[in-house]
Amino acid sequence: AGVFQSHEEDDRKVRRREKNRVAAQRSRKKQTQKADKLHEEYESLEQENTSLKREIGKLTDEMKHLSEVLKDHEKICPLLHCTMNFVTIPRPDALASCLPR
């Protein structure tokens, strides 16, 4: 009876070890997949960040250009030089000279 019980315990140990091995394998695979997914997400966010930085650069350049255009326009704008600007309605011809053609 002792030999039979020992053999049965060995079988249980082998099955438990195999089950544990499979579980560990599954766990490692899951971790690897998670790491791969995080890496892909990182790459995607890096690309988006680069693209947004490029867009910031373009918008900053455009803002500088438009500020210069406005500064130049302010020098010659009849509406801005009119002391009664806020009291009277500007003449249509004065307004027309300020609008882009």
Side-chain angles (χ1 to χ4, degrees):
V3 175
F4 178 73
Q5 193 175 9
S6 157
H7 182 67
E8 205 173 278
E9 282 176 17
D10 286 348
D11 276 357
R12 251 184 283 158
K13 280 181 185 175
V14 169
R15 278 197 305 272
R16 197 174 339 125
R17 219 177 290 131
E18 178 62 17
K19 199 174 172 184
N20 189 43
R21 189 185 65 76
V22 170
Q25 208 172 22
R26 203 178 314 123
S27 176
R28 282 192 296 272
K29 187 177 178 183
K30 201 173 172 182
Q31 270 186 315
T32 303
Q33 287 172 340
K34 191 175 178 182
D36 289 347
K37 190 178 176 186
L38 282 172
H39 186 71
E40 282 175 30
E41 196 177 335
Y42 167 81
E43 292 288 333
S44 174
L45 288 171
E46 277 291 318
Q47 285 179 353
E48 187 181 356
N49 193 23
T50 300
S51 173
L52 289 170
K53 283 179 180 175
R54 215 174 298 137
E55 190 177 348
I56 287 171
K58 285 179 187 173
L59 290 171
T60 302
D61 289 346
E62 186 180 358
M63 186 180 73
K64 285 178 188 169
H65 170 71
L66 291 173
S67 293
E68 289 298 315
V69 169
L70 180 61
K71 209 183 292 173
D72 290 345
H73 177 76
E74 284 173 344
K75 294 173 191 169
I76 59 162
C77 181
L79 294 177
L80 293 172
H81 294 297
C82 177
T83 54
M84 302 298 285
N85 195 24
F86 299 107
V87 180
T88 61
I89 297 168
R91 297 186 325 277
D93 59 324
L95 184 61
S97 70
C98 286
L99 297 174
R101 287 169 184 79

